Amino acid sequence: EDAPDEVVMEVAERLLRVARSSDTVARLAGNEFVICAERLRNDLEAVAIADRATLALHQPYAIGGEEVHVSATTGIAVSSGGDGPETLLANASAARRAALEH
């Protein structure tokens, strides 16, 4: 089920705060967001960004005077330079689905 617009906007703002200034944050559809992080020094930097995003998203949301909690699942895909955007998004989506199963 799609989250209310207030929650979607707050999620976007939180992701923008944890992303680096060189990263791109985008809403793909519904409740799905992506952080495109280029020029990573190593794979651990991608993990650090995902960890910051997950921590920020798990904090309570104040919506209409109520405290709302949401869950978030992350998937990470790292390219060695030859993967196109479609492949990276598919790989990140597969990683997210795998995380949901565990």
Side-chain angles (χ1 to χ4, degrees):
E1 182 177 317
D2 283 347
D5 288 343
E6 297 95 336
V7 173
V8 171
M9 293 300 295
E10 180 65 24
V11 165
E13 289 174 14
R14 290 181 186 194
L15 291 176
L16 285 168
R17 285 195 298 267
V18 301
R20 302 169 311 158
S21 62
S22 61
D23 297 341
T24 301
V25 176
R27 181 179 181 196
L28 294 180
N31 301 330
E32 292 186 33
F33 289 82
V34 63
I35 298 175
C36 180
E38 297 185 66
R39 296 179 298 279
L40 296 171
R41 289 185 294 269
N42 54 52
D43 293 354
L44 290 178
E45 195 169 7
V47 173
I49 293 167
D51 285 348
R52 287 194 311 266
T54 301
L55 182 63
L57 295 177
H58 279 92
Q59 301 303 311
Y61 297 75
I63 305 297
E66 299 284 326
E67 187 173 278
V68 177
H69 294 267
V70 300
S71 62
T73 307
T74 59
I76 299 172
V78 178
S79 172
S80 59
D83 298 322
E86 297 85 5
T87 301
L88 280 172
L89 286 174
N91 290 346
S93 185
R96 185 190 56 79
R97 284 192 305 276
L100 280 172
E101 294 172 3
H102 292 91

